[in-house]
Amino acid sequence: MTSAFRMNPDGLQRLLALLQQMDYETIGPTMSGDAITYDRIASISDLPVGWTDEQAPGIYRLVRGDDREYFGYTLPAQSWKRFLYPPFRKLFSIKKNGKSLELDEAESGTAKYAFIGVRACELSAISIQDKVFNLGEYRDDNYLSLRKKIFVVAVNCSHAGDNCFCTSMKTGPGAKHDFDIALTEILKEGDHYFIAEAGTEAGSAIIEMIGPGKATDDEIAAADNVVRETAAHITKSMDTRGLPELLADNLEHSQWEDVAKRCLTCGNCTMVCPTCFCSTVEDATDLSGQVAERFRRWDSCFTMDFAKVSGGNFRISPKSRYRQWLTHKLSSWVDQFGVSGCVGCGRCIAWCPVGIDLTAEVKAIRGTSVKQEKEV
Ligand code: SF4
Ligand code: SF4
């Protein structure tokens, strides 16, 4: 750990206020109905104090945790994707002006966000989307403009959810990169504080302005222990050895038929996934025919129209759609972007209405891969 500081909960409030004074829109975890979601927060009282979550395949449930804990949950329902890559966005409008047309392009990335409470796996998801949206000539200027202005306050995980497998994907549970400030929340023997560490000069400057004292060796050890303990409590895993090749070699495995019998092709898994990025465009005209607008909307490889092209639909069966999703995520994504498309957050497992668990699907394929079947 680089220089570490001890910050009491009122220091967290000062951090928020400081970021707001610097014109950041502060976004963080907050209660929304029966779930924790990321949304605008004005003060630390908006955080889900005293709540934690239970997650399992097809299950997400809030339960009371330690009354004082601000970040005692594992992961909110939605990811940061919806701020950097909004689900619905106007791209441009065209207006008739006599015999000519006037083009009005939507402004790119005007918001300046401070993200509070980013988990380690989510830092990896953001860095994956950085690659996706900045690929040669295929750039998303709106994403890039928002992305370069964000201030990131990461919070190391203190609770392992039953769906988490970040240790398999080497993305967590401790933040290692792409943050301005990383916090670890400590609740120990009646004491409640955060260990703060800067990851950038901007983060360092802000910590200095808040003015916390240097952490003692014992406090730093307590923070390291939180991350170590969390890692030790992660029970789900995915064997990633040769995974891209394994899936590419097993495109006709019977497991795809098996999962297709359970999959509703609802697309929830793609909506909650912090790295999925597919979109469609929609055009609309007003009734007078004077104005036309183009919008971009999140889409999913599970929808019926996604693979519809002139001449037909090349992914008509649920089997082909689930296989497309999983093989893209864990196999061809690596060819495309040089990394896996999965960070092990487990959201697709919790929010799948029938509890399909990609780690179990991979295990089933690995256990009876085509190559092994040929050998027996
Ligand atoms: S795997 Fe689950 S969440 Fe994904 S499309 Fe199928 S039923 Fe929906
Ligand atoms: S595929 Fe599932 S576990 Fe992996 S990053 Fe997406 S939502 Fe998380």
Side-chain angles (χ1 to χ4, degrees):
M1 196 180 267
T2 54
S3 293
F5 300 86
R6 177 192 160 119
M7 194 170 87
N8 291 332
D10 62 342
L12 184 62
Q13 179 56 48
R14 285 208 297 283
L15 171 62
L16 273 191
L18 204 52
L19 290 167
Q20 287 157 359
Q21 279 163 26
M22 295 165 83
D23 291 331
Y24 283 104
E25 234 178 289
T26 43
I27 313 287
T30 191
M31 303 289 283
S32 172
D34 291 334
I36 295 170
T37 55
Y38 291 134
D39 212 334
R40 279 144 193 92
I41 51 168
S43 77
I44 57 171
S45 62
D46 291 333
L47 295 170
V49 193
W51 286 98
T52 187
D53 51 30
E54 284 177 359
Q55 301 197 28
I59 291 172
Y60 173 97
R61 183 180 300 125
L62 287 184
V63 288
R64 292 302 300 181
D66 187 297
D67 277 355
R68 297 162 296 165
E69 209 170 8
Y70 289 99
F71 299 96
Y73 55 90
T74 51
L75 277 174
Q78 288 275 10
S79 69
W80 304 99
K81 175 171 86 170
R82 78 184 183 93
F83 295 96
L84 296 177
Y85 178 58
F88 188 67
R89 171 173 144 75
K90 184 168 149 183
L91 299 175
F92 60 78
S93 61
I94 296 179
K95 200 171 165 191
K96 255 189 185 170
N97 186 1
K99 288 194 172 167
S100 61
L101 296 172
E102 283 171 8
L103 174 69
D104 185 10
E105 283 192 60
E107 221 179 317
S108 273
T110 49
K112 185 178 160 191
Y113 294 126
F115 290 166
I116 314 297
V118 184
R119 299 303 197 189
C121 63
E122 299 182 306
L123 294 172
S124 290
I126 293 172
S127 87
I128 289 171
Q129 289 216 316
D130 289 349
K131 292 182 203 291
V132 170
F133 294 126
N134 194 11
L135 199 66
E137 61 187 299
Y138 306 107
R139 294 161 51 91
D140 182 329
D141 288 335
N142 189 55
Y143 176 91
L144 295 172
S145 166
L146 292 167
R147 171 69 175 96
K148 74 175 181 225
K149 285 181 290 187
I150 57 171
F151 188 93
V152 174
V153 179
V155 176
N156 290 326
C157 291
S158 52
H159 296 260
D162 284 352
N163 290 336
C164 298
F165 57 104
C166 60
T167 38
S168 296
M169 305 315 288
K170 306 201 171 20
T171 59
K176 297 237 169 9
H177 55 82
D178 284 312
F179 59 80
D180 293 293
I181 295 175
L183 301 176
T184 311
E185 186 170 17
I186 316 274
L187 286 146
K188 202 178 166 203
E189 293 153 13
D191 208 1
H192 184 196
Y193 58 93
F194 293 90
I195 293 298
E197 182 196 354
T200 59
E201 281 179 21
S204 215
I206 290 210
I207 289 181
E208 209 167 294
M209 283 188 246
I210 300 167
K214 280 242 168 144
T216 64
D217 287 349
D218 280 355
E219 288 164 347
I220 293 171
D224 290 343
N225 200 39
V226 165
V227 175
R228 213 174 15 255
E229 283 281 306
T230 306
H233 283 92
I234 290 175
T235 50
K236 194 176 283 301
S237 65
M238 185 159 74
D239 184 351
T240 59
R241 285 171 304 151
L243 187 51
E245 297 76 22
L246 176 85
L247 294 181
D249 283 348
N250 282 279
L251 294 178
E252 296 308 326
H253 196 285
S254 58
Q255 190 64 23
W256 303 118
E257 293 284 2
D258 187 278
V259 69
K261 287 186 198 132
R262 290 170 277 138
C263 176
L264 310 173
T265 68
C266 65
N268 264 16
C269 45
T270 56
M271 297 294 112
V272 296
C273 179
T275 67
C276 276
F277 57 84
C278 288
S279 64
T280 186
V281 289
E282 293 173 358
D283 293 338
T285 52
D286 71 349
L287 286 177
S288 70
Q290 297 300 302
V291 182
E293 293 175 307
R294 174 161 290 183
F295 301 91
R296 182 181 67 191
R297 185 191 290 281
W298 283 0
D299 203 351
S300 164
C301 49
F302 282 99
T303 63
M304 272 303 279
D305 282 349
F306 189 78
K308 196 169 171 187
V309 292
S310 141
N313 191 325
F314 57 87
R315 235 176 264 136
I316 201 90
S317 67
K319 169 187 162 185
S320 62
R321 298 212 287 284
Y322 186 87
R323 180 177 57 193
Q324 158 61 24
W325 178 66
L326 200 71
T327 55
H328 186 211
K329 199 105 281 210
L330 302 176
S331 179
S332 52
W333 199 295
V334 179
D335 303 328
Q336 219 176 345
F337 304 111
V339 287
S340 170
C342 177
V343 297
C345 72
R347 280 189 177 93
C348 58
I349 307 171
W351 294 96
C352 173
V354 291
I356 292 172
D357 175 345
L358 78 169
T359 66
E361 301 307 319
V362 165
K363 198 170 178 189
I365 291 173
R366 192 181 284 283
T368 52
S369 88
V370 170
K371 281 186 178 160
Q372 288 177 12
E373 278 171 358
K374 277 178 188 162
E375 281 164 14
V376 286

